């Protein structure tokens, strides 16, 4: 054994590589206890900066501050189990990475060789200087890293050696540190590399990667790279492409412009922009040149200066700074096949360079509809202003128009009162009062008509109308006025083939009265007004187109006014002449004609005269008719008496009640009175059956209105009230009031103000 040992020592002493012999002692149970240095050559002693005699005989682990379990286990296996073992180790004390091999010599003794691989790593360092990464070795066993110089720089650390814990904690926040640490610790054959890109504590970005080579169980090789720049580029790139992407969905052309370099590059043209309309960029063309060309060639003249001024590189920089990096302008652009509105949007795509995207979008439809809207609003404004002017004029007119007849009513009443003994004078006064009242009523009805029509609540009746009778009647109404004004009034109905039609008599009369009334009103003395009724071709079986032409030789109207004649409150101003009127007649007329499905047209020459022509489609009335009972023969009415008749007059207005009572009393009737619906019901209840011959009932009354009272009277448990004639007196001349009256069971209605002739005729028909 001695000889073997001596032989080995001799061989090792000649080797330039570090060799030694270890003696391994055992515990009582045969497990390895310790190891001492039996021998080492010069090279081995040099590793720990000693001479061989200084360390021979010493405990191995006092000299090698190494992970002794690894060492001791290997030495034991060689010394007692006849095994050769190779392993890697790091010397913490000397900061060296080592490759160790251990081999048997004789029982209890083994040889060992240590190769310092740190120097190999060190030779790699100069090469590493040229790469932008720092390299490190990681010893998986001791969890320590050996850093190359560039690696040290990346982590701002000035020692070659660092434990894994220190390394991750120095660089990263706890979360990331823990992750990286775990990945390094679990590097294995299956999972032999890891890579992290993390932000460091000081805000930088590092990429750390480690790979465990298959040849080594102990070491991993890793790299540290500074990726702050890379990261910056990446985020910038992402931002840039996001901006461009979002623009490219809506914009048909995108250019990327660098304001610093004055360069431009087309980025995208969407299909919708035809080849010929694309504004390409020639090689080497600067942005400023391109802009001049673009504006000159494509932008309409009116917008050129604006675009040039706003899109020049200098003003773009300024505007972008003020507008947080994004703004747009619109202009009209020529597309070859027409001019369209476009929007040019300029968006900055990076913060640290003057790179922008200029994107173009078609906004023609948007702008057009905006323009239309604006025009519509402006027109509406003009119309509203005009309407409001017309209304103001109307209010001025109407207060004048209402006052005039009211004045004469009051004036003549005054005169009559002071001449009560002069019957003749009183009669003249009363006639004048009557006339003015009629006129006033007409005005009120007109105003009401307009509001009815405007609110859409005008409903037309359909009843038998005898056209010839109607025309005759209207003519006779105006005949007196025509004669008084020195005007010839003609009516020609000879061309009418069908006389009996169905329609709204009241409204057809109103149309005729308005037109003929105007013709007479606006025709000076010596002129003429002619009315010609005819029939246009039969429309369908059972209806005809009725035509009336009213022609006058009056003052005529200007062409300008003719455009507005049917608008409410419009009246043509005529110098030196004041004609009474509201400016509503023609509006009502036109609306009524429209409602009946007809048309109205006017031609007129100022100073010469006017011609109104109305076409009304009317159904033919095929029923046989008795002569109209509507006409009140004055003489007949004059002879009507109500002797022995008892009539209940119900009205909350004392004067109205009095007036009706007087009319009836003057014809022999006995009148009882009630001032509201409740009283009326009580009066009927208290009377004997058959006591009253008729009731004249106001509609609008406090406590109980006329329709409710009527319903209650009809429901009284007695025989006479079911058929008792109840005449509704409605101030409301329209359908709604009438409908309510009929629904409540009223027999007929007459319109307030009540005229005696009408009242007498109606009542006499009923009783
Ligand atoms: P008014 O109550 O003012 O007569 P209308 O609506 O009936 O209102 O008529 C409107 C305006 O049309 C009148 O003020 C008048 O200027 C003009 N006009 C209507 N008919 C004639 C006509 N036959 N001749 C001349 N002007 C007419």
């Amino acid at each position: 054994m001695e000889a073997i040992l001596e032989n080995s020592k001799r061989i090792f002493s000649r080797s330039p590589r570090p060799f030694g012999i270890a003696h391994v002692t055992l515990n009582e149970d045969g497990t390895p206890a310790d190891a001492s240095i039996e021998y080492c050559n010069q090279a081995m002693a040099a590793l720990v900066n000693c001479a061989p005699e200084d360390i021979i005989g010493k405990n191995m682990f006092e000299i090698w501050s190494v992970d002794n379990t690894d060492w001791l286990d290997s030495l034991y296996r060689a010394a007692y189990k006849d095994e050769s073992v190779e392993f890697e180790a790091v010397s913490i004390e000397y900061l060296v990475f080592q490759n160790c091999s251990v081999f048997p010599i004789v029982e209890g003794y083994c040889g060992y060789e240590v190769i310092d691989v740190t120097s190999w790593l060190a030779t790699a360092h100069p090469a590493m200087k040229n790469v932008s990464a720092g390299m490190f070795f990681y010893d998986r066993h001791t969890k320590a890293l050996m850093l190359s110089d560039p690696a040290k720089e990346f982590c701002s650390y000035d020692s070659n050696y660092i434990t894994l814990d220190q390394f991750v904690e120095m660089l990263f926040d706890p979360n990331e540190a823990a992750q990286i640490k775990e990945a390094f610790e679990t590097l294995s054959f299956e999972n032999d590399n890891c890579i992290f890109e993390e932000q460091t504590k000081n805000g930088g970005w590092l990429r750390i990667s480690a790979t465990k080579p298959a040849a080594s169980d102990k070491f991993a090789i890793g790299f540290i790279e500074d990726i702050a720049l890379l990261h910056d580029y990446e985020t910038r790139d992402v931002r840039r492409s996001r901006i461009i992407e979002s623009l490219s969905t809506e914009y048909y052309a995108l250019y990327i412009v660098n304001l610093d370099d004055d360069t431009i590059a087309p980025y995208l043209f969407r299909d919708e922009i035809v080849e010929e309309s694309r504004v390409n960029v020639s090689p080497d063309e600067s942005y400023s040149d391109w802009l001049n060309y673009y504006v000159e060639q494509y932008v309409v003249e009116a917008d050129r200066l604006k675009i040039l001024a706003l899109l020049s590189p200098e003003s773009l920089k300024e505007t972008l700074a003020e507008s947080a990096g994004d703004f747009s302008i619109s202009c009209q652009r020529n597309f070859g096949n027409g001019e369209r509105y476009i929007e040019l949007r300029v968006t900055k795509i990076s913060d640290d360079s003057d790179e922008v995207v200029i994107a173009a979008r078609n906004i023609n439809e948007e702008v057009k509809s905006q323009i239309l809207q604006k025009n519509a609003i402006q027109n509406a404004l003009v119309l509203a202003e005009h309407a409001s002017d017309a209304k103001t004029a109307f209010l001025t007119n109407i207060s004048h128009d209402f006052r005039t007849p009211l004045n004469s009513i009051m004036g003549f009443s005054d005169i009559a009162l002071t001449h009560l003994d002069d019957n003749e004078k009183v009669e003249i006064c009363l006639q004048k009062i009557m006339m003015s009242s009629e006129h006033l009523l007409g005005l009120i009805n007109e105003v009401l008509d307009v509001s009815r029509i405007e609110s859409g609540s005008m409903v037309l009746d359909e009843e038998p109308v005898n056209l010839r009778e109607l025309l005759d009647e209207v003519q006779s109404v105006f005949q007196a006025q025509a004669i008084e004004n020195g005007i010839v009034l003609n009516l020609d109905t000879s061309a009418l083939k069908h006389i009996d039609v169905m329609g709204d008599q009241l409204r057809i009369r109103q149309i005729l009265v308005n037109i003929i009334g105007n013709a007479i009103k606006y025709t000076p003395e010596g002129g003429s007004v002619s009315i010609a009724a005819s029939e246009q071709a039969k429309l369908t079986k059972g209806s005809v187109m009725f035509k009336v032409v009213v022609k006058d030789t009056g003052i005529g109207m200007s062409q300008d006014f003719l455009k507005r004649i049917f608008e409410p409150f419009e009246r043509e101003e005529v110098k030196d002449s004041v004609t009474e009127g509201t400016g509503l007649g023609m509006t009502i007329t036109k609306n009524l004609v429209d409602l009946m499905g007809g048309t109205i047209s006017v031609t007129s020459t100022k100073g010469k005269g006017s011609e109104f022509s109305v076409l009304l489609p009317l159904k033919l009335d095929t029923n046989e008719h008795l002569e109209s009972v509507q006409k009140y023969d004055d003489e007949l009415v004059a002879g009507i008496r109500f002797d022995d008749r008892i009539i209940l007059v119900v009205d909350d207005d004392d004067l109205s009640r009095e007036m009706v009572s007087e009319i009836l009393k003057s014809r022999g009737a006995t009148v009882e009175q009630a001032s509201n619906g409740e009283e009326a019901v009580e009066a009927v209840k208290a009377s004997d059956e058959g006591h009253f011959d008729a009731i004249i009932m106001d509609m609008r009354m406090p406590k109980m209105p006329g329709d409710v009272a009527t319903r209650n009277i009809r429901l009284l448990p007695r025989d006479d009230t079911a058929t008792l004639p109840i005449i509704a007196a409605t101030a409301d001349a329209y359908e709604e009031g009438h409908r309510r009256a009929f629904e409540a069971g009223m027999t007929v209605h007459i319109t307030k103000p009540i005229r005696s002739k009408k009242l007498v005729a109606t009542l006499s028909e009923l009783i």
Side-chain angles (χ1 to χ4, degrees), residues 518 521-522 552 557 561 570-572 581-583 585-586 610:
N518 276 349
K521 188 155 80 169
Y522 297 105
D552 66 56
M557 289 165 272
F561 178 75
E570 294 288 354
R571 307 192 69 211
E572 181 159 46
T582 53
M586 284 300 107
S610 313

Side-chain angles (χ1 to χ4, degrees), residues 156-170:
S156 322
Y157 190 64
D158 54 12
S159 163
N160 289 14
Y161 174 84
I162 187 167
T163 65
L164 179 62
D165 278 340
Q166 276 178 312
F167 176 72
V168 292
E169 275 159 25
M170 176 183 78

